[in-house]
Amino acid sequence: MTDLEEDLPPGPPPLMELARQLAAERTRHRQRLPKGYNKNEIPRDICSTKTLGRLESGRYRGVNLGTVLNLLRFYRTPPEQTDHIARLAEASKAHDWCVHYATVLEDRNWFYQQCEDSASYMLFHSFSVFPSLIQGRAYYRMLRDTTRIGIEGEFDWEEGEEFRLDRRERWIASERPAQILIGEVALRIDLGPRKDAILADLREVAALSFADVRVIPYSAGRYEFQPWALNLLEYDDGEETVINVESPRGAGFIPADSSRGKFFTGAAKLASGMSIAWEDFQQ
């Protein structure tokens, strides 16, 4: 990336997500290639190292769909994901990218999952439910059995269960450090006949050496952070730290070093400071 491009503002959301997705595909774990490919290992007949750097910068407006597809073919990206990334490339070039971008996102959070899989440290906060990364089978089935409001469109609870459990197993196998903050209300509500299984499963997660499970007690007070969900994605290869946030103040991916990002990370530190270890909470 040239100095001029470094000075350019980040591109629209689909361009930024396209950039990060391409980088995630290049660096994902492969047999005998635990860190994927270096930029200089990409065949020159696909694109130069300079062009690849531009594509992964999130600022390069001259995206070529053919180059993107050739890269994905070289990375052996699964067809369904290739289709999503191609639509990101198309959305990034559209005048009214909002309409195109909306068709790319879907309810299984495929892009967020890719970001999370390559993060070196993760922080999750939820006030009223367990963060989905640590939900076990018993907890998920409790949610299923107590859901009374119809979900729009087709929703397969069994597929959703396997998706979440697979996601959790990937995290456990990676041993990536994570701090998980849970509001006390999530533990005090009626967990139903599966309560013992749910709490036993949570104890197993809290016992993992790389998992710091903490509880924000009622005594912490009614601080503003409680109704938010925050996911902090920090990477170990120099990539920009990103926050995925859902709150009354907005939702989406936010650079951690932006003013909004600092606002949310500051709130996360406040919440963490008010929390107590799961083990101490249980006593």
Side-chain angles (χ1 to χ4, degrees):
M1 182 166 55
T2 66
D3 291 339
L4 179 61
E5 284 168 337
E6 288 179 348
D7 293 336
L8 291 174
L15 189 60
M16 296 298 292
E17 293 191 14
L18 171 66
R20 190 170 295 278
Q21 184 65 20
L22 288 174
E25 272 301 289
R26 177 173 60 81
T27 58
R28 66 177 165 83
H29 175 85
R30 296 167 173 81
Q31 189 175 11
R32 295 188 294 278
L33 288 172
K35 294 186 177 181
Y37 295 101
N38 293 323
K39 290 181 181 178
N40 58 13
E41 293 176 314
I42 306 306
R44 298 279 297 183
D45 61 347
I46 294 179
C47 68
S48 66
T49 304
K50 182 178 179 180
T51 298
L52 183 61
R54 286 176 168 176
L55 288 171
E56 293 183 4
S57 74
R59 292 169 167 82
Y60 181 53
R61 308 285 177 137
V63 173
N64 181 287
L65 179 58
T67 301
V68 170
L69 292 175
N70 286 335
L71 281 170
L72 297 178
R73 191 174 297 113
F74 177 75
Y75 298 151
R76 296 188 178 179
T77 303
E80 183 180 356
Q81 193 168 332
T82 294
D83 181 56
H84 279 299
I85 297 174
R87 287 157 64 192
L88 272 177
E90 292 171 346
S92 71
K93 298 174 72 66
H95 280 300
D96 181 11
W97 57 262
C98 297
V99 176
H100 296 267
Y101 186 41
T103 67
V104 175
L105 302 181
E106 42 82 42
D107 60 8
R108 291 183 298 171
N109 293 316
W110 64 276
F111 172 71
Y112 173 66
Q113 179 183 319
Q114 291 295 314
C115 287
E116 183 180 278
D117 282 349
S118 60
S120 62
Y121 174 79
M122 299 178 291
L123 183 147
F124 295 82
H125 175 280
S126 182
F127 173 58
S128 58
V129 297
F130 293 1
S132 61
L133 184 75
I134 63 171
Q135 290 177 10
R137 196 178 298 278
Y139 187 87
Y140 183 82
R141 291 182 175 179
M142 180 272 292
L143 292 180
R144 178 196 65 189
D145 295 346
T146 55
T147 297
R148 295 289 177 262
I149 300 174
I151 299 178
E152 229 179 283
E154 294 183 8
F155 184 79
D156 188 327
W157 280 99
E158 290 186 7
E159 181 181 339
E161 178 179 333
E162 294 308 315
F163 175 81
R164 294 201 182 190
L165 293 177
D166 287 347
R167 178 172 172 247
R168 178 170 124 153
E169 287 306 312
R170 279 197 306 275
W171 164 57
I172 292 175
S174 73
E175 298 189 355
R176 290 192 304 283
Q179 184 180 73
I180 297 130
L181 304 176
I182 309 171
E184 182 175 354
V185 66
L187 298 162
R188 296 302 188 197
I189 61 174
D190 182 8
L191 295 174
R194 295 189 175 90
K195 178 179 178 178
D196 290 343
I198 291 170
L199 295 181
D201 182 73
L202 188 56
R203 279 193 293 272
E204 289 183 13
V205 173
L208 296 172
S209 60
F210 48 90
D212 181 18
V213 179
R214 306 185 65 82
V215 179
I216 305 172
Y218 289 135
S219 59
R222 287 186 163 186
Y223 57 95
E224 193 180 13
F225 184 68
Q226 283 188 342
W228 302 351
L230 175 74
N231 306 278
L232 177 65
L233 305 178
E234 295 182 348
Y235 299 88
D236 57 6
D237 56 1
E239 288 186 63
E240 184 177 39
T241 300
V242 176
I243 300 168
N244 184 35
V245 65
E246 296 181 12
S247 80
R249 299 188 179 209
F253 291 92
I254 305 168
D257 60 358
S258 66
S259 58
R260 291 183 70 208
K262 290 176 181 177
F263 173 79
F264 285 114
T265 53
K269 290 177 182 178
L270 178 64
S272 179
M274 293 177 174
S275 67
I276 59 177
W278 159 259
E279 294 82 357
D280 296 336
F281 178 78
Q282 288 296 288
Q283 293 178 359

